Every structure is written in C-alpha cells, then in structure tokens.
C-alpha cells in the first residue's frame, strides 16, 4: 500500500478580486496571473502537493510566483479562495482544514505546525528574550510548567547552537543568522510534525546560509520532521530538498525529485534556473 502523505494540499487557489467573465473562463490563458480587464490577481491557481513523513519538499520560483502564498495558506496566514487541506497525523481529523473553525486552526498552528519567516520580526518578539520567545509558543499550546518550559528552551537553543549564556538575551541583539536559529528553535518547541520555512536564507552571508541549511538537514535527519522550504534560489533547494516544485505565475510548471529536475529540467523556466547554477 502506498505511503499516505502527512500533508496534502489539493486544488488550492487564491485570488485577489472578484473576477470577471473573461478571466473566470480563461484563467489558463492569462499572460501573467492578472486579468487585463478586471485586474483580478490569481496569486495561486490550482496548486496540489503532498508532503511525506521525514522529507523536505522545496518550492522554488521568482518573486510573485505564488510560493509564499502557498506556504502562508498552510499556516492559515492566507485565506484560501478554493481548495482542500489535510494533515494526516494522529491528532487531526480527516477534514478540510480550510473549512475548520478559527479555534481549530489556531490549535493546529500551535501544536502541529512550526513556521520560520524570511523576516525574523514576523516570527519573534525582538525585545523579549530568546527563552521567552520559545516559551510563548509552548504557552499557546497550553504548557504551564515553567521549569519544564525553561528546560525545553535550553535544550532547543543547544540544538540550534546558541550558547545557554545568551538565552535571556533579546533577539534584537543577535545577528541575522542567530535570529533565524531562534525562530527555528521556537518553531520546534511543541514537536510539530510539519515545519514551514519561507526564504530563511535571504539576506544572510554565504557562510551563515550554509550553517542554517546544515542545521535544517541535521534537524530532518535527527528528528524526522517533514518540511516545506520556499526559496527563489535553486542553489538553496538543491542543498536540502528531496523533491522540488517549480512555480511561475501562481502555477506549478514542473515537479519531481530534486536530482531529476537538476539533471533533466523540462520546462524552459526550470532550464534557465538550472543553467544559472552552472
């Protein structure tokens, strides 16, 4: 029997605007993802993907391709226009999470998902201590034992290679790479089965990028957490992703094993991405 995905997204679309007769009937024929008549933006159009236990799925595409909108929908930061979203984990019921109550969505965010943003200011309280940031996520999942939360925070900061002596220091005093590490520690605080990472190496020095990517691979290997990593940089995806999806103008144009896409890209846009690495 085929393995069941831990996360499944089916026919997800997100549009900004009400649409008109022209774009409703001809969405596939739009030059970009904007209707020239009513200006409706189809940020994502009919995207489906599966994520399996312990794997890293990469989503690559240029700015405006829709990749971050897909990730935002999975963390309930973006409301879906159409589609179905399921998490196949013991704690979750087999229902379309896009249609779940806000209370249930909040519980899933706090217990089953971890999110690491491109901009650490979106994922951290920059003037609170690193320890407090991690504890905040645990409190949201109904943890109340202060001693246990402090110990868990200490363990996670050790996992992401931040010295214990700095755990009471605020992220505003940290480098960009260290801030991303605190975000990762916070995202891991409640042992979520799925981790979502959005452009987390953008703006970091190359050596720091390598350290962050190495940390992600270590977490995958040691904790068997499933991850979706969004990036505009195929070099980043090449380093860490088992499978890759390529997006342009809100649609998936190619998908497959990362090695397969790198060795034999089919779509002209993917070919351009691959050749830029050579």
């Amino acid at each position: 029997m085929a393995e069941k995905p831990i996360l499944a997204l089916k026919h997800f679309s997100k549009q900004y605007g009400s649409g008109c007769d022209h774009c409703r009937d001809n969405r596939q024929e739009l030059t970009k993802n904007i209707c020239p008549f009513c200006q409706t933006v189809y940020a994502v159009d009919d995207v489906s993907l599966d994520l399996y236990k312990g794997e890293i799925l990469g989503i690559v595409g240029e700015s405006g391709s829709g990749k971050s909108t897909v990730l935002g929908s999975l963390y309930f930061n973006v409301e879906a226009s159409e589609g179905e979203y399921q998490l196949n984990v013991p704690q979750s019921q087999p229902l379309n999470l896009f249609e779940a109550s806000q209370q249930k969505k909040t519980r899933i965010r706090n217990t089953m998902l971890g999110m690491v943003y491109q901009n650490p200011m979106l994922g951290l309280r920059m003037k609170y201590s690193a320890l407090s940031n991690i504890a905040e996520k645990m409190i949201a999942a109904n943890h109340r034992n202060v001693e246990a939360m402090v110990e868990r925070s200490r363990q996670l900061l050790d996992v992401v290679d931040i010295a214990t002596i700095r755990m009471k220091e605020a992220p505003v005093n940290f480098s960009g790479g260290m801030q991303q590490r605190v975000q990762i520690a916070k995202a891991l605080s409640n042992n979520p089965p799925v981790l979502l990472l959005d452009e987390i190496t953008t703006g970091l020095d190359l050596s720091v990028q390598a350290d962050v990517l190495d940390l992600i691979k270590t977490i995958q290997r040691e904790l068997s957490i499933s991850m979706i990593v969004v990036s505009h940089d195929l070099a980043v995806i090449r380093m860490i992703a088992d499978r890759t999806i390529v997006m342009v103008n809100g649609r998936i144009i190619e998908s497959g094993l990362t090695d397969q896409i790198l060795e034999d890209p089919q779509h002209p846009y993917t070919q351009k991405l691959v050749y830029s690495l050579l």
Side-chain angles (χ1 to χ4, degrees), residues 154-169:
R154 190 191 307 273
Q155 292 172 352
L156 288 169
L157 290 171
D158 183 60
V159 167
V160 300
D161 199 26
I162 291 180
T164 303
I165 195 173
R166 303 196 70 177
M167 72 178 188
K168 294 186 178 180
E169 195 170 343

Side-chain angles (χ1 to χ4, degrees), residues 71-87:
L71 207 68
S73 73
L74 298 176
Y75 201 59
F76 306 116
N77 285 337
V78 174
E79 185 175 349
S81 300
E82 300 174 17
E84 184 177 340
Y85 173 22
Q86 289 185 344
L87 281 174

Side-chain angles (χ1 to χ4, degrees), residues 105-132:
K105 289 177 180 177
T106 299
R107 184 177 66 80
I108 290 170
R109 276 171 59 116
N110 291 332
T111 59
M112 301 182 198
L113 301 171
M115 181 73 169
V116 181
Y117 295 91
Q118 174 183 350
N119 183 352
M121 293 185 69
L122 296 176
L124 299 174
R125 295 183 183 271
M126 300 302 286
K127 295 185 178 180
Y128 287 70
S129 70
L131 186 153
S132 296

Side-chain angles (χ1 to χ4, degrees), residues 237-255:
I237 298 300
R238 175 177 63 176
M239 288 182 66
I240 60 175
D242 303 301
R243 291 188 299 117
T244 296
I245 288 170
V246 184
M247 291 187 66
V248 173
N249 296 329
R251 302 186 186 100
I252 294 175
I253 59 166
E254 193 160 353
S255 64

Side-chain angles (χ1 to χ4, degrees), residues 138-174:
M138 298 180 72
I139 291 169
N142 292 320
H143 291 274
R144 293 294 181 265
N145 186 314
V146 174
E147 186 176 329
M149 286 190 289
V150 170
E151 180 58 28
R152 174 67 172 160
S153 299
R154 190 191 307 273
Q155 292 172 352
L156 288 169
L157 290 171
D158 183 60
V159 167
V160 300
D161 199 26
I162 291 180
T164 303
I165 195 173
R166 303 196 70 177
M167 72 178 188
K168 294 186 178 180
E169 195 170 343
V172 71
N173 298 324
F174 292 168

